[in-house]
Amino acid sequence: GQRQRDAAAAAAATTLTKREITMGKILNATLHVHKSKSNSSKRTRAASVASLVNGSKGRKSKKRSGKKSKKLNEVLIDISTATNCKISREEIEDKLIFADGGVHNNHRINPKYSGDKNVRILSIRDGDLFVPTDHYGNGDKGLRHREDNITSLVLCPRNESLDELKVLYHPDLPQQLSNGYAACIKEANDIKRGKGISIECEDSFKYACVGSAPIKNEKGCRPLHHVMAKLKEEVQSILIQHVRSVERLFEKYMETSVISNVREGIKLVNAPLLQNTAGEEASIYQSFAVGRNVYLSCHIDKDFIYSAATVVHREVKDEVIAYFNFPRLGLAIPLKPFDVLFFNPNEPHMISSRCHDDDDVFCLSFYLKTALMGGNNNDLELTVEQKECLKVYEQIFEETKTK
């Protein structure tokens, strides 16, 4: 019962092993938590280590984790930082950086940004970023980049992505998804991202964010987005099924520790996730952002887990239509229609412009904002279980401070 869970949580707070402390630090390197003393902020910190208190432990868990690691090592090709192309974090913070994904006969991009930062455009065609192609010709292989025991990105094997998203089995699905996301953009208010981020929409399209979110100027979060509610029910269902397909790939290609932490974190704070009017709900992602023929400046996100990126097209063609870029790593990851990429939101990143001017490309990202994990309600006291997880967080990071 509850008493046993409370006792187990209390015991965990005082018996962390060195391995668990190290794991807590690694997990927190890939997510954002709020540091203030408010209850909402405390919940984000508690959730960030929930798996260390409530996650599966013991030999069976370690065995499953070992088998998963072996599988990932077999199907994911490890790529290295492109030292000749990488850009310093200082330059990334100082400038507004874009990526031009256009092929040689495309127009060169000309961002409309009018702020006071210097603009730098990285051209894929000119070799400003390195494009890994180790997986080309083998749809059963994906890509992975790791640094200091932390996974920066995972590009799922193409065959697996197409199979999971079912776009080959249902010939109308690519068109239906394109129409669905086009409807979202039409119904949404134009979104302006935060300071230092520029959204460049070609062809006068808008950029939309759809999903559950904290309620502005009020307490709590709203689970159903007004744009989702305006869509036809069959369209809503198609979009939710798309998100769930991406989440199943997350389960297959992310490390066991990452999966466990997000699951336990969501459960700990009862985070509201992406849903539709029929009650269909995502399992780990809260929202999606979508732009039609869009490219963004380099930025990081205040997210709780690895975000996902994909590109939707009206046809499944074996051709790169955009690049997802990591300038600090010097890498431009090529994306074909319906490829799925997971990435550390703390790693500076941006989507490029489309490769072909005559293409119609929907660029999507799926995410879980840290603000949502906090609940947006400082009047809501922490539960006993949340308090014990917070103690674990403090134990891990107080130790860091004293060293």
Side-chain angles (χ1 to χ4, degrees):
Q2 184 62 45
R3 186 178 297 176
Q4 289 176 317
R5 287 196 295 273
D6 293 347
T14 57
T15 59
L16 282 182
T17 66
K18 287 185 178 180
R19 181 179 179 278
E20 288 171 326
I21 291 172
T22 300
M23 182 57 65
K25 293 174 184 176
I26 290 174
L27 290 169
N28 270 262
T30 63
L31 54 82
H32 177 81
V33 296
H34 294 161
K35 299 295 179 69
S36 81
K37 295 181 180 180
S38 70
N39 284 339
S40 292
S41 294
K42 287 177 181 177
R43 270 188 289 275
T44 70
R45 299 197 291 277
S48 75
V49 295
S51 64
L52 299 182
V53 177
N54 302 321
S56 299
K57 298 180 181 180
R59 290 183 180 178
K60 286 186 178 180
S61 177
K62 289 180 181 178
K63 188 175 181 180
R64 284 196 301 270
S65 180
K67 287 177 69 174
K68 177 75 172 287
S69 295
K70 184 179 179 181
K71 179 200 169 185
L72 295 182
N73 290 337
E74 289 172 353
V75 300
L76 299 177
I77 301 169
D78 286 306
I79 55 177
S80 302
T81 298
T83 53
N84 293 337
C85 299
K86 71 176 186 176
I87 297 172
S88 70
R89 195 177 287 274
E90 290 73 25
E91 183 175 357
I92 290 170
E93 292 173 356
D94 184 56
K95 296 178 180 177
L96 212 63
I97 299 176
F98 297 94
D100 186 339
V103 295
H104 287 283
N105 58 348
N106 247 40
H107 78 286
R108 300 246 176 200
I109 61 172
N110 183 25
K112 298 173 185 175
Y113 170 75
S114 57
D116 53 7
K117 278 192 171 186
N118 291 326
V119 173
R120 180 175 177 184
I121 297 174
L122 303 174
S123 171
I124 308 299
R125 76 187 96 172
D126 293 341
D128 291 338
L129 292 171
F130 176 73
V131 180
T133 57
D134 311 60
H135 60 309
Y136 280 9
N138 189 344
D140 294 325
K141 293 286 187 180
L143 299 176
R144 177 175 63 182
H145 181 279
R146 287 175 61 80
E147 184 179 67
D148 298 328
N149 294 319
I150 296 168
T151 298
S152 311
L153 65 94
V154 171
L155 178 67
C156 300
R158 179 158 178 75
N159 288 348
E160 191 77 45
S161 293
L162 296 179
D163 185 63
E164 193 63 69
L165 272 59
K166 297 180 172 55
V167 289
L168 295 180
Y169 308 119
H170 302 283
D172 294 335
L173 188 54
Q175 183 72 49
Q176 291 170 340
L177 285 168
S178 296
N179 291 344
Y181 288 118
C184 289
I185 291 171
K186 182 180 178 181
E187 294 290 350
N189 299 319
D190 197 11
I191 298 295
K192 302 299 180 187
R193 291 289 298 262
K195 262 187 176 181
I197 305 175
S198 180
I199 302 170
E200 302 288 332
C201 293
E202 300 182 296
D203 302 332
S204 301
F205 288 118
K206 293 182 294 185
Y207 185 80
C209 295
V210 179
S212 56
I215 304 171
K216 289 184 178 179
N217 303 319
E218 292 183 42
K219 295 170 185 173
C221 302
R222 55 163 168 71
L224 181 64
H225 196 273
H226 67 91
V227 168
M228 182 69 80
K230 290 179 182 177
L231 303 176
K232 294 179 180 178
E233 285 190 5
E234 58 267 32
V235 175
Q236 294 184 38
S237 185
I238 287 170
L239 299 187
I240 291 290
Q241 292 306 317
H242 186 213
V243 179
R244 286 179 172 177
S245 297
V246 171
E247 291 172 334
R248 286 193 291 272
L249 289 168
F250 184 95
E251 297 272 4
K252 289 181 179 180
Y253 291 102
M254 294 307 299
E255 292 101 331
T256 302
S257 59
V258 172
I259 297 167
S260 174
N261 206 50
V262 66
R263 291 285 187 201
E264 294 298 335
I266 288 171
K267 190 192 305 182
L268 181 72
V269 300
N270 193 28
L273 303 175
L274 181 67
Q275 63 177 253
N276 62 18
T277 53
E280 293 178 296
E281 189 178 44
S283 62
I284 60 173
Y285 286 122
Q286 151 226 348
S287 296
F288 63 81
V290 58
R292 188 173 184 174
N293 305 332
V294 68
Y295 59 96
L296 274 68
S297 64
C298 185
H299 61 282
I300 60 173
D301 291 306
K302 295 180 179 180
D303 294 349
F304 188 76
I305 60 166
Y306 283 80
S307 301
T310 187
V311 282
V312 168
H313 196 274
R314 296 182 192 276
E315 58 180 297
V316 185
K317 54 182 180 178
D318 192 35
E319 182 180 324
V320 177
I321 58 175
Y323 295 87
F324 204 88
N325 308 276
F326 301 90
R328 192 188 68 83
L329 307 177
L331 298 173
I333 306 301
L335 296 178
K336 298 177 181 180
F338 303 101
D339 278 347
V340 175
L341 173 77
F342 298 108
F343 63 94
N344 176 1
N346 282 329
E347 181 62 50
H349 59 271
M350 74 279 205
I351 187 73
S352 76
S353 60
R354 55 189 164 165
C355 295
H356 302 277
D357 287 335
D358 57 355
D359 250 340
D360 199 22
V361 179
F362 293 88
C363 301
L364 283 117
S365 62
F366 302 98
Y367 54 88
L368 175 58
K369 287 293 177 192
T370 295
L372 193 84
M373 299 297 289
N376 191 36
N377 187 351
N378 290 328
D379 291 341
L380 183 64
E381 294 294 332
L382 272 67
T383 65
V384 171
E385 198 172 12
Q386 289 169 359
K387 288 177 181 177
E388 294 303 336
C389 288
L390 183 61
K391 286 180 184 177
V392 169
Y393 179 92
E394 291 169 348
Q395 181 180 344
I396 291 170
F397 290 98
E398 280 303 314
E399 179 178 290
T400 302
K401 288 178 186 177
T402 57
K403 281 187 176 181

